[in-house]
Amino acid sequence: MLQKEQQKAEKTASSPRSRGVMYVQQLDKMKFSSLDALKRRVQSLSKLKRFAMIVHDKDTNGDNELVKPHVHVMLEFESPRMLSAIAKELDDAPEHFESMTKHNKNGINNGFAYLVHRTKNASNKYQYDPDKVIANFNYQGFLDKLKTEVNEGRYEGKMGISNLLGDFINGKLTKIEAKEIAKNSKPGQFAHICKRIDESEVQMEELKADKWIQEMQGKHEAKKVFWIYGPAGVGKTTLAKMITESLDKGYFTSGSSRDYFQNYHGEHCILIDELRPNVIDYSDLLRILDPYNYNCNVPSRYHDHRLTANAIVITSPFSPGDFYIHQRDLNTEVDAFKQLHRRLNYVIQVKPLKIRLMELISDYVPGEMVDGKYRSATPPQYGPRREVMNYVMVAIESGKFQENYDQDSRCILSVLKKLISGNTNPKEKSTISKTTK
């Protein structure tokens, strides 16, 4: 009797105790008929505080071969419990149970995070969906809180600023997120850190621009430039957005007329909306539209930006010819009109009932004295090169189409793309026109 009690005491002393325990077992060797049965038994464990479980069926071995599906059950108790006692309650051998607090004071949180491989050492493993986890608490909320706590700790101490700037540069933090963390974690250095974030952003844009410019110069591709003009309210901007979205979903739209490029961040397709003669200097406009000048800056209030655009769409109440005449009124020393015209691939006129592709039919004629009388300058004139479609602009209000917007936009883009490639024939054009009447 005494010997049995001594053996029991030795066994108890050799069994570790822990508040955080991970149980792992292959599905085909599990002592329970189903995961629900396992869940019910887990919920009956004494002193249980929290649990979470998930089946791992995408894990691989060192040879990148799938291993057998197995279940992970993370257990947290109100006070330390012997692993042998937990194993007995779950009808399994103690070797399938591991203390998560033996070597790591954060072992319990790490154990719960490991269920979906959201730990540092498991970042290269298959990332399981948190929705697959069965738990008696808000598991997704736990992950979100844990991520916040880890990040906050990462930006403390001597390496805090370096980690913050590194995460911003590597795209792990947005500019707003980086500055918000700086405000909360290092309020005494907030202004200094914000300045470094801004400087890092400028340098990142410079590096990105250099790489892109080098690539484009190697390809020797010309920019595409569209000039869309017409009176207010006929849909110039709507058509311009259709074109820019077909070229690049991540396009840039100009800001206020006081600073068109204030928020430009290297987008490759730009929409300059409502361009007027007194906003951009004529020489600057020629540089921006130069088909092979990829290494130029665009003016902005605080600092100029490197232009990295290979497609530019302009809307204006002025035709290119009228725009030029107004520029000459501001400065008679501007370059010739042909310098602007040769940079425009497509000039499109928008009227209430029609969209037309235009061509230059007469060049600028300067003013001169004829028979003792002064003859005024004649602006360059454009005429219809080819009518895109006899399109009825349906109920445009505030620049937006109403219920048949999607159908109409597809028709416009379809015809416009074919006009650009020169593949439209009158029969096809007529058929498409009928669908919008």
Side-chain angles (χ1 to χ4, degrees), residues 386-388 423-433:
R386 192 186 301 165
E387 190 163 311
V388 176
N423 292 331
T424 303
N425 59 65
K427 183 177 180 180
E428 183 179 31
K429 179 177 64 179
S430 175
T431 302
I432 297 176
S433 299

Side-chain angles (χ1 to χ4, degrees), residues 220-281:
H220 201 65
E221 292 181 359
K223 298 174 187 173
K224 294 184 179 70
V225 181
F226 300 77
W227 187 293
I228 304 172
Y229 71 97
V234 295
K236 298 189 302 295
T237 301
T238 301
L239 177 59
K241 288 180 177 179
M242 293 176 191
I243 295 173
T244 51
E245 286 175 1
S246 72
L247 296 171
D248 189 341
K249 293 291 184 183
Y251 66 92
F252 166 78
T253 302
S254 61
S256 69
S257 59
R258 291 178 296 175
D259 194 348
Y260 271 156
F261 297 99
Q262 180 178 352
N263 296 315
Y264 177 70
H265 293 296
E267 291 84 354
H268 301 321
C269 180
I270 61 177
L271 166 56
I272 302 177
D273 201 23
E274 289 297 307
L275 178 64
R276 297 175 185 273
N278 59 340
V279 176
I280 298 178
D281 185 78

Side-chain angles (χ1 to χ4, degrees), residues 29 50 60 123 132 188 221 334 376:
K29 295 182 180 180
R50 292 190 301 174
T60 57
S123 60
K132 302 294 185 182
E221 292 181 359
V334 296
S376 300

